[in-house]
Amino acid sequence: MLSIGNSTPQTLFLTGVPGLEDFHIWFSIPFCCLCMVALLGNSTILYVVITDSSLHEPMYCFISMLSATDMGITISSVPTTLGVLWFNARIISLDACIMQMFFLHGFTLMESSVLLAMAFDRFVAICNPLRYTMILTNSRIIKAAVVIFVRMLVNLMPLLLLLKRLSFCGPNVLSHSYCYHPDVIKCSCSSIKVNSICGLVALILTSGIDIPCIFLSYVLIIKSILSIASPEERQKAFGTCISHIGVVAIFYIPWVILALVHRFGHNAPPYVHTLMSNLHFLFPPVLNPIIYSVKTKQIRKAFLKLFPNTE
């Protein structure tokens, strides 16, 4: 085991599965399998959306954005996690930690914005279908992508810059195999009041806005669907939203629980933090391609085109 008493002020220590360090190599097997599924599934969706002209529509553009953010989340967390599980490489510098947080939290914030954009896409498609192509033009989709990126920078950069003012003089042991902002600031021996407030403000300005807006959009969507006379048309309209509802639930529920555990679950067992962090950062990239390939007919057809001999 590494000694954690000789850490420098700018050094942090990552953690694998607390209490089960001897089994890290075995935990790495399902972790690697899930990462491969996530990368393969999301890269395949990106490929079919880019190469299949029939998928060059707003809905599939947003799905490809979602796949890109999922790949970013997976790639951001894999190096340090595998380093801990395979080589017990727990030491990470503060600068490297901040860099990892930029990508990990950045892609997470952008995914939240993409889910909001996808909810707006479904709202326009169902509630105002005649103007759908007029409202969601290619130029507006590009502008939306730029806004999503800028929004991420505005919310994330103050949090990361404020970390540089903190002093780290304790054992500096993190709760995860990667750097997570609430986890990092708890290791500081300086006052973290400003950091905590900024973190809460960033959470409110992202998920605190996105979740109510997504909920409101689906209230209006359901109201519009219920006004459709034909049962078949109602079922078809609702079917186009099922995938997105599932993706939203998979993404936000673990995120909210993880944030609550870090802020209020100080007495929770260490494995609770590990479980929730893995659920949040690993399950959405794994499950999202599966959901869209199963529930979206056009993407499923595009997948099958890659295997022409498949019946």
Side-chain angles (χ1 to χ4, degrees):
M1 293 294 294
L2 284 172
S3 172
I4 61 178
N6 297 323
S7 63
T8 64
Q10 298 300 315
T11 299
L12 300 167
F13 287 88
L14 302 169
T15 299
V17 183
L20 298 173
E21 289 81 2
D22 293 339
F23 299 94
H24 276 179
I25 192 67
W26 297 107
F27 287 121
S28 70
I29 296 174
F31 178 80
C32 287
C33 291
L34 290 175
C35 287
M36 290 177 63
V37 170
L39 293 175
L40 180 62
N42 286 292
S43 60
T44 304
I45 285 184
L46 278 173
Y47 176 78
V48 297
V49 171
I50 292 172
T51 58
D52 194 329
S53 59
S54 65
L55 299 180
H56 293 175
E57 298 179 6
M59 173 182 174
Y60 306 110
C61 290
F62 288 126
I63 291 176
S64 66
M65 291 183 196
L66 184 69
S67 293
T69 57
D70 280 336
M71 289 183 66
I73 291 173
T74 303
I75 294 172
S76 299
S77 61
V78 163
T80 54
T81 301
L82 289 183
V84 171
L85 295 179
W86 283 353
F87 310 110
N88 199 30
R90 297 177 55 199
I91 301 174
I92 185 171
S93 68
L94 179 61
D95 290 337
C97 198
I98 291 175
M99 182 178 295
Q100 185 182 43
M101 281 190 289
F102 173 78
F103 289 105
L104 188 60
H105 288 290
F107 282 114
T108 302
L109 294 179
M110 285 192 289
E111 180 154 339
S112 179
S113 299
V114 171
L115 291 175
L116 175 60
M118 294 174 73
F120 179 74
D121 168 79
R122 291 299 84 205
F123 168 75
V124 175
I126 292 175
C127 298
N128 201 351
L130 297 180
R131 298 189 60 196
Y132 179 69
T133 55
M134 296 174 58
I135 295 174
L136 290 173
T137 60
N138 290 335
S139 62
R140 286 177 178 170
I141 293 174
I142 295 172
K143 290 177 182 178
V146 173
V147 169
I148 288 171
F149 181 75
V150 172
R151 184 194 189 205
M152 178 274 291
L153 291 179
V154 170
N155 281 283
L156 184 58
M157 289 308 297
L159 298 182
L160 302 183
L161 292 175
L162 284 171
L163 286 174
K164 298 294 290 184
R165 59 179 279 275
L166 298 179
S167 299
F168 296 87
C169 49
N172 303 336
V173 179
L174 303 177
S175 303
H176 310 297
S177 56
Y178 49 80
C179 295
Y180 182 65
H181 181 264
D183 198 24
V184 172
I185 63 174
K186 286 194 300 184
C187 293
S188 174
C189 52
S190 307
S191 172
I192 61 172
K193 184 175 181 180
V194 175
N195 301 74
S196 296
I197 292 174
C198 287
L200 182 59
V201 170
L203 188 65
I204 293 172
L205 293 178
T206 52
S207 60
I209 293 176
D210 296 346
I211 293 175
C213 289
I214 292 172
F215 178 78
L216 177 61
S217 69
Y218 273 99
V219 169
L220 297 175
I221 287 171
I222 292 173
K223 182 179 178 181
S224 177
I225 291 175
L226 293 177
S227 65
I228 299 175
S230 171
E232 292 78 10
E233 290 298 322
R234 283 201 302 267
Q235 184 176 359
K236 181 180 178 181
F238 190 70
T240 63
C241 302
I242 291 296
S243 300
H244 185 250
I245 293 173
V247 168
V248 168
I250 291 170
F251 179 77
Y252 281 115
I253 292 176
W255 187 11
V256 171
I257 294 176
L258 179 61
L260 292 176
V261 167
H262 268 281
R263 291 190 177 276
F264 307 110
H266 303 294
N267 296 324
Y271 64 82
V272 172
H273 295 261
T274 302
L275 175 63
M276 293 314 305
S277 64
N278 289 334
L279 283 175
H280 171 50
F281 288 114
L282 192 56
F283 273 27
V286 170
L287 295 179
N288 289 349
I290 297 174
I291 291 173
Y292 278 111
S293 61
V294 171
K295 298 298 294 183
T296 307
K297 183 178 179 180
Q298 291 83 349
I299 290 181
R300 186 167 64 251
K301 285 184 176 180
F303 267 56
L304 293 177
K305 288 180 182 179
L306 300 176
F307 308 97
N309 294 327
T310 305
E311 293 297 330

